[in-house]
Amino acid sequence: MKRLAYQTPMIRVLLPFGTGTLIAATLLKGNDSITLAFLLCLAGIGFLGYKLFINQQARKKEIAAASIYYRNRWINGIILLTMALAAGSVNVWLHTAINNPGFFADSISQNDNAWVQITVPLQDKGAYYKTTAKIIALGTKTRMHSANGNLLIYFQKDSADQYPVYGDQVIIKNKIVPLKTSENPGDFDFKTYMSYQDIYHSAYLKVNEWHATGNNAGNPFWKSIYTINTRLKKELWNALPDPDQRGIAEALILGDESDIPNEIMTEYAGTGTVHILSVSGLHVGLILIGLSWIFSFLTLIPNGKYIRLILILAIIWAYAFLTGFSAPIARSVIMFSIVFIGIHLGRNTNIYNSIAASAFILLLIDPFLIMQASCRLSFIALTGIVWLQPKIASFWQPRHKIVKYIWIMTAASIAAQIITFPVSVYYFNQASIYFLPANLIVIPASFVILIIGIAFVFTDLSILHWLHHWFSVMLKYSIYVLNIIVGYFNHLPGSTWKGLYISRLESVLLFCFIVICISGFIYRKKMFLGAGLILGILFFSTRNIAIFNRLSGKSMAFFTAGSKHTVITLKEHNQLFVLTDTGFTNDKQLMKFHINSYAAENYIRPENIVCVNPEINHKFSGENMMVQGSLIGFYNKTALVINSKTYIKSLISNAAPMEIDALVLSDNPSIGLSELYKKFRFKSVVAASGNKTANIRDWETICIENNIPFTNLQNNDYIDIPI
């Protein structure tokens, strides 16, 4: 272990640097990062001063320098630790736009316009185009002042207008709003996700709310790259009219997953093969292996090793740029270039040190990569394969080449799945039962498709254009077969173990448990096995306590999904009742983002989710819940749901007077709260989806006058009534 520590100095730098980055990215805000870095630097300077003082005292007493260095060698480690932690924290601060002087949100006024420059090509999102832009200046038509910051922009579509391209500078009206955090339990936190891309505001622009300046200040190199990328996308659209095939092709070849249909993404996720849809270290590694084999003859000539290295790196970097240098491709190419250079130029280079060096450089470039699931999974999987694959493969040494190849692939797949299991479950809340046979087929198939795709790209841009048609046909049918294989595995009985949930703490404990236990068996260290046993006990104890607390709780909650759907959830132990319209329950994506994640966090299995539409099922009852028309009862709580279809007069005349815990109003019902209050003594009022602003304002005014709590779900998103 000591020898490994000396061979991997970058790991000793990366661990504190990455820790400082993680702390600053997740826990600190604004100038807190600089404050932490300052305190760490003071500590480092203090230890350095202490070391110098000891050395000076030793010289006076004529003590051997080597003896002093050995006894106080720990001080060097403390100094490195504090400085690396500080460097990670400062790096995050430097890459955070809101800390910059002149950040636009600090000075923008209501009547200002914003001069912005488009930083990425527009993405077609159906009713609008989506892009990002950087702020250049703010002000009125006659006077503007410089500003900075990034912005997410949505342009409303209009066939009669020309839309901006990369580098175009446009002036937009101040429709800029801060990104909003969803309060719905289990919802995807879009605001936090975008903050890791240094974006904190967005603007939805209609056709008359922006105009072009005629200036284009885009980088000429990137303009040509994006032009080629747009051309390749059009070629894929022409070659692959089926969206199921086109989405897979764009993901594998161009690194763009945005056009993959939800059904296809679900099938790949269900079989544990979704990782192949992102051009990752796996794909780049396979390309490097293939190119190394193709150009192996170059090692027979003088300096051939260096010629092969330069040629291979030139090819993968050219491919990365031609495909638009998307984030996953860029990350993978940088990572494997460093590893590849380390392997080929240093006889004694340790691959773990090369992996750590690539991670360090990537974090220097973009510290928020540490927060991306794909980045974490890439590095964990690569490290796991390098560490475990040879040890798993050594259990069996088949003689036949084909069998040996299959076994090597199997060992790599097992290693990757074992080491990434806690992280995968944490992010995706599911595990595939047939991941091993599925990956044995899908990984080589995806590699073949990637090679065909690269040939598709280069033949389109070269004099070999006559081959382009044949590669497009090969691409079409190979992806068609791949989708059939994935669909077959996904529809096997019990193919996916859904509804799994582990917290962040549980995922860390489980990961450490797996790594330490495997280390104990490999290196035959009883101490590791003992530590693993303790971690296992901690994991299961933490998990059982969390399950008990969640399943023993009961709640009635209200939230909105978009502007159309009002959702009421009744959670009772291990069962969840979802009261909403069929448009919501029939939308798999809405159910996935708003309900399934919430159910998983509460350890509720998918089969225990019961969806009820009160407008269809006018009478529905369970052991402790009841739905009767507009009235909902759950234990000792009642809610009255009124919308535009509710017959108010009939409700008032037929219902008996009662106390209501929550009055829920949606879709602009024509109702007077004062008249309704005479019959139903409601303790709170909830304005749900589909209500006009004027109505919401009137209801809120009445509630304030009568000291009745009022909640606007379009602002607060979520309200929970404890049982």
Side-chain angles (χ1 to χ4, degrees):
M1 296 296 288
K2 289 184 179 180
R3 182 182 176 185
L4 179 63
Y6 284 112
Q7 289 177 345
T8 55
M10 284 308 303
I11 292 180
R12 288 182 283 167
V13 174
L14 176 66
L15 288 177
F17 182 81
T19 302
T21 302
L22 191 63
I23 291 172
T26 56
L27 301 178
L28 305 181
K29 295 180 180 179
N31 292 321
D32 291 347
S33 298
I34 288 295
T35 303
L36 174 65
F38 178 72
L39 293 175
L40 288 169
C41 286
L42 283 181
I45 293 170
F47 279 107
L48 180 61
Y50 176 66
K51 180 181 179 180
L52 294 175
F53 173 76
I54 290 177
N55 290 341
Q56 186 180 20
Q57 294 298 313
R59 289 193 201 100
K60 291 180 179 179
K61 297 179 181 179
E62 297 182 352
I63 302 174
S67 174
I68 292 295
Y69 176 82
Y70 181 79
R71 280 187 294 174
N72 298 287
R73 65 190 185 280
W74 59 273
I75 299 178
N76 294 330
I78 294 293
I79 294 172
L80 174 64
L81 176 68
T82 54
M83 292 304 176
L85 281 166
S89 183
V90 170
N91 192 42
V92 171
W93 187 87
L94 291 173
H95 283 83
T96 305
I98 57 177
N99 298 325
N100 296 337
F103 182 61
F104 75 93
D106 297 333
S107 60
I108 193 169
S109 63
Q110 187 174 359
N111 297 323
D112 278 347
N113 292 328
W115 188 306
V116 304
Q117 180 175 317
I118 305 301
T119 53
V120 296
L122 275 64
Q123 287 184 332
D124 191 339
K125 293 296 182 181
Y128 54 86
Y129 290 107
K130 174 185 173 184
T131 188
T132 59
K134 64 178 180 180
I135 303 286
I136 297 174
L138 300 172
T140 61
K141 292 181 179 180
T142 57
R143 186 174 182 180
M144 281 196 161
H145 60 89
S146 62
N148 58 65
N150 301 312
L151 185 65
L152 184 65
I153 298 181
Y154 299 89
F155 291 102
Q156 185 185 49
K157 278 189 177 180
D158 189 312
S159 58
D161 283 273
Q162 197 74 10
Y163 285 88
V165 297
Y166 164 76
D168 279 356
Q169 294 183 348
V170 298
I171 294 178
I172 66 173
K173 290 186 177 180
N174 185 8
K175 298 296 180 179
I176 301 172
V177 295
L179 291 172
K180 189 178 178 184
T181 299
S182 174
E183 300 295 334
N184 297 357
D187 265 13
F188 175 67
D189 191 346
F190 184 68
K191 179 181 179 180
T192 300
Y193 170 76
M194 291 307 299
S195 72
Y196 296 145
Q197 300 179 45
D198 208 20
I199 296 175
Y200 307 90
H201 295 77
S202 65
Y204 291 81
L205 302 174
K206 296 179 181 179
V207 175
N208 61 347
E209 292 175 339
W210 68 276
H211 67 270
T213 63
N215 296 335
N216 187 297
N219 183 292
F221 173 76
W222 285 110
K223 280 202 296 190
S224 61
I225 291 299
Y226 287 135
T227 300
I228 294 172
N229 185 257
T230 302
R231 171 182 166 179
L232 292 174
K233 279 193 174 183
K234 289 181 179 179
E235 289 292 332
L236 285 174
W237 276 70
N238 294 331
L240 304 171
D242 186 341
D244 292 355
Q245 298 169 16
R246 185 173 60 246
I248 299 297
E250 288 184 5
L252 280 172
I253 301 168
L254 304 180
D256 182 3
E257 304 172 33
S258 60
D259 288 331
I260 300 177
N262 294 326
E263 295 78 10
I264 294 295
M265 184 67 82
T266 301
E267 289 197 341
Y268 277 81
T271 55
T273 57
V274 71
H275 60 89
I276 69 113
L277 299 181
S278 175
V279 179
S280 61
L282 172 67
H283 299 89
V284 177
L286 290 172
I287 292 172
L288 283 173
I289 292 170
L291 291 174
S292 297
W293 177 75
I294 292 172
F295 296 115
S296 59
F297 67 91
L298 292 174
T299 57
L300 301 176
I301 63 175
N303 297 319
K305 180 175 73 171
Y306 302 105
I307 295 173
R308 184 179 73 155
L309 175 64
I310 294 170
L311 187 60
I312 290 172
L313 291 179
I315 290 173
I316 64 169
W317 277 89
Y319 166 68
F321 281 118
L322 289 174
T323 54
F325 211 62
S326 63
I329 291 179
R331 183 178 64 244
S332 301
V333 167
I334 292 172
M335 177 176 69
F336 263 92
S337 294
I338 295 170
V339 173
F340 198 60
I341 291 170
I343 291 172
H344 280 72
L345 296 186
R347 292 183 179 179
N348 298 320
T349 301
N350 187 289
I351 190 169
Y352 298 107
N353 197 59
S354 298
I355 294 172
S358 66
F360 179 75
I361 291 172
L362 285 169
L363 289 180
L364 276 178
I365 298 170
D366 182 2
F368 294 110
L369 284 175
I370 200 171
M371 304 307 300
Q372 293 184 9
S374 57
C375 184
R376 291 178 177 180
L377 286 168
S378 290
F379 276 99
I380 291 173
L382 176 61
T383 307
I385 290 172
V386 170
W387 177 42
L388 290 179
Q389 191 271 348
K391 297 170 178 62
I392 296 172
S394 65
F395 288 132
W396 182 38
Q397 298 292 334
R399 296 180 180 179
H400 197 282
K401 287 187 177 180
I402 296 178
V403 178
K404 186 176 182 180
Y405 166 77
I406 294 174
W407 172 236
I408 289 173
M409 290 292 296
T410 303
S413 182
I414 293 172
Q417 291 291 335
I418 289 174
I419 207 71
T420 60
F421 178 76
V423 184
S424 298
V425 173
Y426 172 72
Y427 281 114
F428 305 117
N429 301 135
Q430 64 181 22
S432 173
I433 305 301
Y434 301 110
F435 75 89
L436 189 55
N439 276 280
L440 286 177
I441 299 173
V442 171
I443 290 176
S446 68
F447 177 60
V448 171
I449 293 171
L450 183 58
I451 296 300
I452 296 172
I454 293 173
F456 176 89
V457 169
F458 282 105
T459 54
D460 181 58
L461 302 172
S462 68
I463 59 174
L464 301 174
H465 194 77
W466 58 276
L467 284 173
H468 182 67
H469 169 72
W470 296 106
F471 282 117
S472 68
V473 173
M474 293 168 63
L475 193 64
K476 175 181 178 179
Y477 287 103
S478 58
I479 295 177
Y480 173 75
V481 172
L482 178 65
N483 285 344
I484 289 178
I485 293 171
V486 171
Y488 170 77
F489 279 107
N490 189 55
H491 290 94
L492 288 174
S495 61
T496 308
W497 190 5
K498 296 182 179 180
L500 291 176
Y501 175 78
I502 56 176
S503 66
R504 186 177 300 176
L505 173 61
E506 290 169 3
S507 67
V508 172
L509 289 173
L510 183 58
F511 180 80
C512 294
F513 167 75
I514 291 172
V515 170
I516 290 176
C517 284
I518 291 175
S519 300
F521 283 111
I522 291 174
Y523 304 113
R524 302 183 184 278
K525 297 284 187 179
K526 293 182 179 179
M527 181 178 67
F528 286 176
L529 294 176
L533 178 62
I534 294 172
L535 286 170
I537 293 171
L538 282 174
F539 169 75
F540 286 108
S541 299
T542 304
R543 183 168 178 79
N544 287 334
I545 291 171
I547 291 174
F548 175 79
N549 290 335
R550 293 294 180 93
L551 293 184
S552 61
K554 302 179 287 291
S555 69
M556 173 187 281
F558 309 87
F559 65 88
T560 58
S563 59
K564 298 180 179 179
H565 308 288
T566 299
V567 184
I568 302 173
T569 60
L570 310 175
K571 186 177 80 71
E572 180 184 25
H573 305 309
N574 66 340
Q575 195 166 32
L576 182 68
F577 294 95
V578 181
L579 311 180
T580 185
D581 58 278
T582 51
F584 178 88
T585 55
N586 290 337
D587 191 319
K588 292 182 179 179
Q589 288 300 108
L590 287 176
M591 286 292 293
K592 175 183 177 181
F593 288 117
H594 294 284
I595 298 299
N596 293 350
S597 297
Y598 172 67
E601 286 185 11
N602 287 278
Y603 304 97
I604 297 172
R605 301 287 300 161
E607 57 268 21
N608 291 333
I609 300 174
V610 180
C611 297
V612 180
N613 185 346
E615 294 182 4
I616 297 175
N617 301 319
H618 298 289
K619 291 186 178 181
F620 181 87
S621 62
E623 185 177 351
N624 296 297
M625 63 89 64
M626 173 272 297
V627 176
Q628 187 170 353
S630 300
L631 195 64
I632 298 170
F634 185 59
Y635 283 87
N636 61 338
K637 302 296 180 181
T638 55
L640 183 63
V641 182
I642 296 179
N643 55 37
S644 58
K645 299 178 182 179
T646 305
Y647 294 102
I648 307 296
K649 292 182 179 179
S650 175
L651 178 68
I652 294 175
S653 60
N654 294 332
M658 65 176 67
E659 282 194 350
I660 300 294
D661 292 284
L663 172 65
V664 183
L665 305 172
S666 64
D667 298 330
N668 289 308
S670 300
I671 183 173
L673 290 187
S674 301
E675 182 183 358
L676 195 64
Y677 191 70
K678 295 176 183 178
K679 193 67 174 283
F680 302 103
R681 294 286 176 171
F682 39 85
K683 299 178 182 178
S684 64
V685 175
V686 179
S689 62
N691 295 309
K692 292 181 179 179
T693 304
N695 288 345
I696 295 174
R697 188 166 52 246
D698 291 342
W699 297 333
E700 185 174 13
T701 301
I702 294 172
C703 287
I704 292 173
E705 291 173 352
N706 292 276
N707 295 319
I708 299 173
F710 178 83
T711 303
N712 181 7
L713 289 183
Q714 294 178 9
N715 290 334
N716 299 312
D717 284 341
Y718 174 76
I719 182 172
D720 188 7
I721 297 178
I723 305 297

